[in-house]
Amino acid sequence: MGGFFGVVSKEDCVKDLFYGTDYHSHLGTKRGGLAIKAQDGLNRFIHNIENTQFRSKFDQDIVNIQSKSGIGVISDYDDQPLLIRSHLGNYAIVTVGAIKNVESIVKKSFKTRWLHFSEMSRGEINPTELAAALINQGHTFEEGIQKAHDEIEGSCSMLILTAEGIYAARDKLGRTPVVIGKKQGSIAATLETCAFPNLGYKIEKYLGPGEIVFITEDGYEQRKAPEKPMQICSFLWVYYGYPASSYEGINVEDVRNRCGAILAKRHPVEIDFVAGIPDSGIGHGLGYASSAGKPFKRPFVKYTPTWPRSFLPQDQAIRDLVAKMKLIPIRELIDGKRLLFCEDSIVRGTQLKGTIQRLYDVGALEVHMRPACPPLLYSCKFLNFSTSKSEMDLAARKAIKDLEGEGEVDLKKYSQYGSEKYRAMEDRIREKLRLTSLKYQSLDDLVRAIGLPKEKLCKYCWNGEE
Ligand code: SF4
């Protein structure tokens, strides 16, 4: 998925840039990068952060530099920021999102015979380079960014660092947030607002879909008004957003608490205590426990001092092993007890199956599960956020295959909450995971917990509707 942070200041702002970017490290990525305006032009640093934290790779880079403006990125796999020399001038660019029509844009651009792209491994093209090529077709940055937004299928939010300031632009349908913050002498743009409080920034403005602003040390100026239609990613609140962040003015932890509370009202059950699968299930679990009037406990604790992030190793077996090693069960809490777990979502279900088995191994009598969102039926096609490599690996799709066999299936019937097909799928997943009970959140209740109008939220991974 990735995230970015940019800042323009009257003073040196390298520390803000460094920590502001670092606060996007949870977004599960492989590359980190910073670009600053130096005395002799733009300068940048990119490191592989697959097996180490952003901070430890960059702390030496920033020791000897000073700058009053810069942008930083935690990127999914591609090298960023890129330094571009074009008719618009020299600039640095970072992007977040996913360009799904790379091939058709590249084909079209080759007709000019002027353009070429540097290939990454496996023949892929760096999506940020592609976005820059589209931007360079404009007479101005504003026109170029709009051109990129119009051509790109998927999404592309960006920060562009120039000698005069920073352009911040949110993707056309606002799938990812871009937020402006301010403190005395400095203005910043961020994806995650959790980057702001400890650096002293206050939220100033949530950019609307497709909106462009230009930031200088004196303030910021709207360069393109927002579009009306919005499709912000609902999964931000459910899973990958940081609890201390807010999007559209709605805090992540608050939404998770509301999700849990709604689940407790809809699907009560006799249990001894409530828990959350760490980390993203915790907020949902706390909401369930307080609404149900049951204690919240931590039957699993996460060992974080040494383990890097579990989703980074390429090999699934190693990822599963790391995930297992990080969660330590506490027998004294589990033995002889009826437990209810809240979880953000069930993706493939393989790690979860192992986690549930470990609870039985240390004496759990019953294990109930309440995921905070409906069964995932489709892979995301708008962000570089992969719920699963193949849709057929999704726990819900595997359950449907068990029920229907190979061949064409009408998935709509399975996405209708409470329908016969839906209940059969839910029960099949429950059986496979060896759960005592499994009740998913309905899409309507998830939308209620978020609190935005339904038409403003992307819900594609649950209902397949664009
Ligand atoms: S498909 Fe799912 S993960 Fe992708 S943007 Fe929509 S809600 Fe978010």
Side-chain angles (χ1 to χ4, degrees):
M1 187 13 228
F4 56 50
F5 187 88
V7 56
V8 185
S9 177
K10 291 185 194 297
E11 309 289 332
D12 176 41
C13 63
V14 170
K15 278 212 171 60
D16 283 9
L17 176 64
F18 174 66
Y19 288 110
T21 305
D22 184 55
Y23 275 124
H24 292 80
S25 298
H26 58 285
L27 291 171
T29 51
K30 296 182 177 164
R31 292 284 184 278
L34 298 175
I36 51 145
K37 188 185 139 194
Q39 275 180 347
D40 52 351
L42 299 172
N43 200 358
R44 71 152 183 193
F45 313 88
I46 298 176
H47 288 293
N48 181 341
I49 54 166
E50 239 169 302
N51 291 313
T52 186
Q53 296 132 337
F54 172 85
R55 270 199 318 279
S56 57
K57 283 278 177 134
F58 284 81
D59 54 1
Q60 284 314 306
D61 292 330
I62 67 156
V63 171
N64 297 319
I65 57 169
Q66 286 199 334
S67 177
K68 293 182 178 175
S69 61
I71 54 178
V73 68
I74 303 283
S75 156
D76 274 325
Y77 61 98
D78 47 319
D79 285 341
Q80 299 191 44
L82 297 185
L83 298 184
I84 306 287
R85 179 175 172 181
S86 80
H87 73 98
L88 296 167
N90 291 0
Y91 64 89
I93 178 169
V94 294
T95 63
V96 163
I99 305 179
K100 298 292 180 179
N101 55 335
V102 170
E103 285 311 314
S104 70
I105 297 175
V106 168
K107 243 188 208 157
K108 213 164 126 189
S109 74
F110 282 171
K111 287 196 180 136
T112 67
R113 296 209 209 142
W114 270 100
L115 274 175
H116 67 270
F117 299 96
S118 0
E119 281 194 349
M120 303 194 304
S121 53
R122 296 188 307 275
E124 284 177 67
I125 284 171
N126 185 320
T128 305
E129 187 181 0
L130 195 61
L134 291 170
I135 292 164
N136 295 341
Q137 290 180 33
H139 292 100
T140 60
F141 277 109
E142 293 82 345
E143 202 184 292
I145 293 168
Q146 192 157 355
K147 177 138 189 72
H149 280 170
D150 289 343
E151 292 254 345
I152 288 168
E153 285 169 21
S155 67
C156 186
S157 291
M158 62 185 87
L159 297 178
I160 295 174
L161 172 69
T162 69
E164 292 76 34
I166 293 175
Y167 288 90
R170 187 172 176 190
D171 68 278
K172 197 172 179 184
L173 287 168
R175 304 235 184 230
T176 54
V178 179
V179 189
I180 306 296
K182 207 172 174 181
K183 71 176 179 184
Q184 185 74 32
S186 302
I187 307 208
T190 191
L191 189 147
E192 286 285 35
T193 63
C194 66
F196 281 162
N198 290 343
L199 297 174
Y201 290 86
K202 289 219 164 65
I203 293 173
E204 177 80 8
K205 176 180 171 62
Y206 294 90
L207 295 196
E211 186 170 2
I212 305 171
V213 297
F214 186 61
I215 304 167
T216 64
E217 59 175 49
D218 298 320
Y220 66 94
E221 191 181 279
Q222 189 187 64
R223 293 291 177 90
K224 185 187 163 284
E227 310 274 348
K228 266 254 148 67
M230 179 189 282
Q231 283 290 286
I232 185 168
C233 171
S234 303
F235 226 63
L236 276 164
W237 284 281
V238 172
Y239 167 59
Y240 65 86
Y242 208 69
S245 284
S246 297
Y247 320 114
E248 306 306 317
I250 300 169
N251 172 257
V252 172
E253 184 72 354
D254 251 358
V255 170
R256 291 183 184 167
N257 290 170
R258 282 199 290 275
C259 270
I262 294 171
L263 281 165
K265 291 260 159 10
R266 290 266 189 258
H267 307 295
V269 63
E270 266 310 307
I271 42 161
D272 295 306
F273 67 85
V274 180
I277 302 276
D279 292 315
S280 45
I282 302 278
H284 301 294
L286 284 165
Y288 191 108
S290 91
S291 173
K294 294 283 178 189
F296 181 86
K297 295 193 184 188
R298 296 196 300 157
F300 274 116
V301 287
K302 204 166 175 179
Y303 192 78
T304 51
T306 52
W307 289 104
R309 293 163 290 179
S310 62
F311 41 80
L312 290 180
Q314 289 295 314
D315 189 297
Q316 189 60 47
I318 300 174
R319 294 207 307 213
D320 289 350
L321 177 71
V322 172
K324 178 183 173 181
M325 288 303 160
K326 277 206 298 199
L327 281 188
I328 309 172
I330 304 177
R331 180 184 290 274
E332 291 79 353
L333 296 189
I334 299 167
D335 195 8
K337 294 292 190 296
R338 300 165 302 172
L339 289 68
L340 182 139
F341 273 91
C342 285
E343 171 68 307
D344 50 76
S345 56
I346 298 177
V347 184
R348 296 180 321 128
T350 42
Q351 272 179 20
L352 187 60
K353 190 174 177 183
T355 305
I356 293 160
Q357 185 54 49
R358 286 198 287 153
L359 289 164
Y360 288 124
D361 291 346
V362 288
L365 290 182
E366 294 177 6
V367 183
H368 305 263
M369 180 73 57
R370 300 290 182 265
C373 68
L376 292 161
L377 287 168
Y378 305 87
S379 288
C380 175
K381 53 182 194 175
F382 310 110
L383 301 174
N384 236 335
F385 167 69
S386 81
T387 43
S388 181
K389 279 212 174 98
S390 154
E391 274 180 352
M392 294 316 294
D393 286 342
L394 294 168
R397 294 295 281 269
K398 284 189 280 188
I400 293 170
K401 192 172 160 203
D402 288 352
L403 295 167
E404 303 257 1
E406 301 281 355
E408 281 286 295
V409 178
D410 181 2
L411 290 175
K412 283 281 152 235
K413 296 205 167 112
Y414 285 96
S415 66
Q416 280 158 20
Y417 180 74
S419 69
E420 204 178 309
K421 296 260 184 198
Y422 174 93
R423 279 187 279 116
M425 169 187 66
E426 192 179 55
D427 201 48
R428 182 72 190 121
I429 300 169
R430 182 198 63 73
E431 252 174 36
K432 286 174 103 167
L433 294 176
R434 290 198 59 220
L435 288 162
T436 316
S437 81
L438 170 67
K439 295 288 173 196
Y440 284 89
Q441 185 86 283
S442 75
L443 196 49
D444 284 346
D445 282 341
L446 172 60
V447 169
R448 205 163 293 132
I450 295 172
L452 279 177
K454 200 172 186 170
E455 64 280 5
K456 290 194 165 191
L457 291 165
C458 177
K459 306 167 290 293
Y460 176 83
C461 47
W462 300 293
N463 64 12
E465 288 171 17
E466 296 188 35

